[in-house]
Amino acid sequence: MFTYRPLVQSLYLSTLQWNLGSPVARPIGLGNYVEWFTAPSTPRVLTTTLVFGVATVGGAMVLGLATALLLNRGLRGTALVRTVAFAPYVLSGFAVGVLWLFIFDPRYGAMNALLRGIGLDGPHWYNDRPWPLVMIIVVYLWKNLGYVALIYLAGLQAVPRDLTDAAALDGAGPVRTLRSIVLPLLTPTSFFLLLTLLMSSLQAFDVIQAMTQGGPLSSTTTLMYQVYVEGFVTQRAGYASAVATVLFVLLVAMTALQMRFLERKVHYS
Amino acid sequence: MTTTTLTAPPRPHPRPARERRRPPVLGYVGLAAVALLVGAPLVWLLLASLKTPAETYAVPLQWLPSTLTPDNYVAAGDTVPLGRMFLNSTLLTVLGAGLKVALGLACAYALVFLDIPLRRFFFYLVVGTLMIPSQITIIPNFTLVAELGWLDTYQGILVPGLASAFGTFLFRQHFLTLPTAILEAAHLDGAGHWRRLWLFVVPLSWPTIAAVTLVSVVAEWNDYLWPLLVVERAEMLTLPVGLTWLQNIEGLSNWGVLLAGAVLVTLPVLIVFLVLQRRLVQGLVAGAVTG
């Protein structure tokens, strides 16, 4: 009711020239799509979405795997570190955004104080490109790291111990073992993470809203944020629906591509 | 750190020599780094919310407050109705999570134990909703809620999010593992679906129910975009949206007050997480393990 009906209705709305709350709606066919595809802001929004997506998804997977490998060594204090690392994942994105906005505050924030401490001049994080986007990416990585690490940890614990031991006896170093044995066995986990992280990355909203509101000069406006701005700030609901549809098609296409090309490489035991 | 490792009791199974000879100093450095990088901002948040403005705006940075003062919290309470916001968030979280679990249970029960036509189709329909992103649904849902006159109401915030595919999916996976013989026996004894659900299925499903409940509680409490759109009056604010108002009113000029607000939004979930972390993590990771 609240998922499939709007999916269809959104397609219909995207063919209207219609402002939120206005009683007048004019059918304009594909006009909204034409406008979006030819808008000068579109390449920028797409690039931002792409950079944000690649950095948050890729970064979270690499850092998460590294953390998982660390946690899997069975050192003392692992349980505590695991708890700490996972904590940000359950917190409100908006509150987390506010916290980090303070940390990045150019004058009073901890980030630039630390940078000054090692003799560096921190940039003006809120204003100078590309730092606003970098700032948001850092926060999403911080927030999702524990989740990715935990999922990888579950995957790592399913890797049979004798396989890695045998490799070690054969003289394989840790890097070689990781590349030849562990990573291939982790492909189903990686595949799952890739899909879920991509979904959440394309829908990222609350941290952006808290930190930059898509600015300055739209430099942190992703497709999702554009849907919100067009729909509820400038109130062009028809146009926003068209952008939402583009995003949806993109998402489905990427999911399908991944299913097709990655599924073949996945080792299911 | 090195000494503690060296005096650690030997492991029951000897590990390969290469690993045993080198104490895992790097490993401990790594663990400490992760704990510090992730944990420090949270500690920093709590400390900063208890500082005086003079300490907050000290250059160079003053890391620790000299005394802990609740002034920021008082100021936040003067700007937005904190008590009411807390009440709204709690009410919506309890109701939302409760209804989600109840609906998920009922829906999964129907999918597994009822002989309905097109059962597989309905299952795919439910799982399919997991793939539909929120941005495609917000505008139509918003217009619907507005037409119903539900803007600024609890049902307006609550109802559109109720159909929880996640819960239904997990419950279904769990139900499939239940022994069907018990349910058939109950059926022969004349127990209806309702009794079978409550007397047999639910008591056998507590771990899954707990996990889904916790995940729903966290999701409802943190829900942001939807309540932001639907709420216009101060007395309907939930905590995350209230924090937005606080930010708009106080701007970036009053960090202490804003951070106090952020603490109030994050602390309840953080406590729930720390107390019940095993169940919660189980729930959040469950999708990965079953998939």
Side-chain angles (χ1 to χ4, degrees), chain A residues 16-89:
Chain A
L16 300 178
Q17 187 183 64
W18 174 60
N19 285 11
L20 208 60
S22 137
V24 199
R26 198 159 60 87
I28 51 165
L30 294 177
N32 286 323
Y33 293 95
V34 173
E35 183 185 337
W36 186 80
F37 275 106
T38 53
S41 63
T42 298
R44 164 79 78 75
V45 172
L46 281 176
T47 319
T48 306
T49 309
L50 188 76
V51 170
F52 176 77
V54 169
T56 51
V57 175
M61 286 180 71
V62 171
L63 293 173
L65 179 61
T67 310
L69 288 169
L70 193 67
L71 293 175
N72 198 36
R73 296 180 61 182
L75 299 178
R76 288 179 169 199
T78 295
L80 178 73
V81 176
R82 200 177 50 208
T83 304
V84 172
F86 194 72
Y89 186 69

Side-chain angles (χ1 to χ4, degrees), chain B residues 90-146:
Chain B
T90 311
L91 184 77
L92 285 166
T93 301
V94 170
L95 266 179
L99 286 169
K100 260 186 186 172
V101 171
L103 281 173
L105 274 173
C107 187
Y109 182 89
L111 282 174
V112 176
F113 299 116
L114 252 54
D115 237 344
I116 44 175
L118 299 174
R119 199 158 64 166
R120 272 208 101 64
F121 168 75
F122 282 115
F123 173 64
Y124 285 124
L125 203 65
V126 170
V127 175
T129 61
L130 284 170
M131 297 296 295
I132 296 178
S134 59
Q135 54 271 41
I136 197 109
T137 60
I138 47 173
I139 293 168
N141 275 344
F142 181 82
T143 54
L144 178 70
V145 164

Side-chain angles (χ1 to χ4, degrees), chain A residues 118-176:
Chain A
I118 54 169
L120 286 174
D121 233 0
H124 194 295
W125 294 94
Y126 301 173
N127 288 348
D128 305 342
R129 282 209 289 151
W131 300 113
L133 187 57
V134 171
M135 191 165 80
I136 284 167
I137 290 169
V138 167
V139 177
Y140 272 106
L141 287 177
W142 178 80
K143 200 171 185 309
N144 289 338
L145 173 73
Y147 167 74
V148 180
L150 218 68
I151 302 243
Y152 265 133
L153 195 60
L156 280 175
Q157 276 160 4
V159 172
R161 181 86 210 191
D162 17 330
L163 265 182
T164 46
D165 280 352
L169 284 178
D170 285 348
V175 177
R176 180 70 208 262

Side-chain angles (χ1 to χ4, degrees), chain A residues 173-249:
Chain A
V175 177
R176 180 70 208 262
T177 313
L178 179 69
R179 214 185 54 201
S180 309
I181 295 175
V182 178
L183 282 185
L185 284 171
L186 281 179
T187 35
T189 313
S190 304
F191 183 61
F192 167 83
L193 279 172
L194 196 63
L195 277 180
T196 52
L197 288 174
L198 200 73
M199 289 283 285
S200 71
S201 153
L202 282 175
Q203 295 184 65
F205 180 79
D206 40 15
V207 171
I208 302 179
Q209 173 75 0
M211 298 187 77
T212 62
Q213 277 106 54
L217 298 171
S218 312
S219 66
T220 54
T221 300
T222 59
L223 268 175
M224 172 67 206
Y225 205 82
Q226 194 182 24
V227 173
Y228 165 76
V229 170
E230 295 295 352
F232 297 96
V233 180
T234 57
Q235 310 243 315
R236 299 182 61 202
Y239 186 61
S241 294
V243 182
T245 308
V246 171
L247 181 48
F248 180 61
V249 169

Side-chain angles (χ1 to χ4, degrees), chain B residues 130-170:
Chain B
L130 284 170
M131 297 296 295
I132 296 178
S134 59
Q135 54 271 41
I136 197 109
T137 60
I138 47 173
I139 293 168
N141 275 344
F142 181 82
T143 54
L144 178 70
V145 164
E147 277 163 25
L148 291 169
W150 281 6
L151 290 184
D152 258 333
T153 63
Y154 287 124
Q155 67 266 34
I157 303 176
L158 203 60
V159 174
L162 281 184
S164 155
F166 167 76
T168 307
F169 179 72
L170 281 195

Side-chain angles (χ1 to χ4, degrees), chain A residues 2 4-5 18 70 73 76 83 86 90 92 94 102 105 108 142 150 192 199 203 205 209-210 224 247, chain B residues 24 28 30 37-38 61 125 129 131 134-135 141 143-144 222 224-225 244 247 255 259 269 273 277 281 288:
Chain A
F2 287 100
Y4 286 104
R5 183 197 52 79
W18 174 60
L70 193 67
R73 296 180 61 182
R76 288 179 169 199
T83 304
F86 194 72
V90 302
S92 147
F94 192 84
F102 176 56
D105 186 291
Y108 309 110
W142 178 80
L150 218 68
F192 167 83
M199 289 283 285
Q203 295 184 65
F205 180 79
Q209 173 75 0
M224 172 67 206
L247 181 48
Chain B
Y28 281 108
L37 281 175
V38 181
L61 202 70
L125 203 65
T129 61
M131 297 296 295
S134 59
Q135 54 271 41
N141 275 344
T143 54
L144 178 70
N222 292 334
Y224 177 71
L225 177 56
T244 311
Q247 192 189 26
W255 275 118
L259 295 173
V269 178
F273 166 66
Q277 51 155 320
V281 168

